[in-house]
């Protein structure tokens, strides 16, 4: 479990994972942890951080990690934005924001995770070339996400044709919520962005 250091000190990732890792990946709101568990299996040399404030989901993930003997996952049981503020700059190899709450009512839009201040935090924490993956099954939230990402100069949308956002890539494990969305005949959209190295952009 990740505890933020005192004051404004940054999280020491080397201490957190007992040494160097091939990359550090962050998942925001992992639910019951199916996607995070599979990513940990796919990337045994990497370090994975999952943010989830709800105890039931954390408990399910911990049970699965213990059962499989997986030791490269750390959990932050609070708002991911608090952790993003304390991560070292350019430390993340990838970020997953999968099927976060769309807060469909207009008066609740301020609670949506994808917004300009949060994207600024994510961009600061991501290394150049790192990948941001976002998924949603909510049309209004999709429009919101695309509008905010379009204004975020730090990110390049990797889609080149419609199939790129209509089909989940092979190394993108399915989540329980995604299965429910598909069963309810809701279309799932998969967005992939790369963190630009703005110093090299002419």
């Amino acid at each position: 479990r990740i505890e933020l250091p005192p004051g404004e000190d940054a999280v020491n990732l080397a201490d957190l994972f007992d040494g160097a890792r091939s990359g550090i990946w962050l998942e925001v709101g992992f639910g019951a942890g199916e996607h995070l568990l599979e990513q940990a299996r796919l990337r045994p040399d990497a370090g994975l951080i999952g943010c989830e404030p709800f105890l039931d989901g954390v408990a399910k993930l911990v049970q699965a990690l213990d059962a499989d003997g997986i030791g490269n996952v750390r959990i932050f049981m609070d708002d991911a934005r608090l952790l993003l503020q304390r991560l070292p700059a350019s430390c993340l190899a990838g970020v997953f924001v999968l099927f976060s709450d769309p807060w469909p009512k207009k008066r609740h839009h301020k609670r949506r995770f994808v917004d300009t201040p949060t994207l600024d935090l994510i961009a600061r924490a991501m290394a150049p070339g790192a990948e941001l993956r976002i998924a949603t099954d909510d049309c209004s939230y999709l429009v919101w996400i695309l509008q905010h990402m379009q204004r975020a100069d730090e990110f390049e949308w990797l889609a080149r044709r419609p199939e790129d956002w209509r089909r989940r890539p092979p190394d993108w494990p399915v989540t329980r919520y995604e299965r429910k969305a598909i069963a309810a005949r809701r279309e799932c959209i998969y967005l992939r962005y790369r963190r630009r190295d703005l110093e090299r952009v002419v």
Side-chain angles (χ1 to χ4, degrees), residues 45-67:
D45 297 327
L48 290 101
I49 298 173
C51 299
E52 177 58 62
F54 296 109
L55 184 59
D56 286 351
V58 171
K60 289 178 182 178
L61 174 63
V62 169
Q63 289 174 350
L65 293 171
D66 286 346

Side-chain angles (χ1 to χ4, degrees), residues 1 15 32 36 39 43 51 87 89 103 112-113 116 135 164 170 176 193 199:
R1 178 172 173 173
D15 287 348
L36 189 61
Q39 289 292 346
R43 309 175 194 275
C51 299
L87 289 176
W103 294 105
R112 289 175 163 176
F113 186 80
T116 298
D164 291 340
R176 184 177 307 180
Y193 293 87
E199 294 182 359

Side-chain angles (χ1 to χ4, degrees), residues 175-193:
T175 69
R176 184 177 307 180
Y177 185 88
E178 181 182 348
R179 289 193 181 98
K180 289 181 179 179
I182 293 171
R185 299 183 181 276
R186 296 192 298 271
E187 184 177 11
C188 298
I189 301 296
Y190 312 93
L191 305 174
R192 297 173 60 231
Y193 293 87

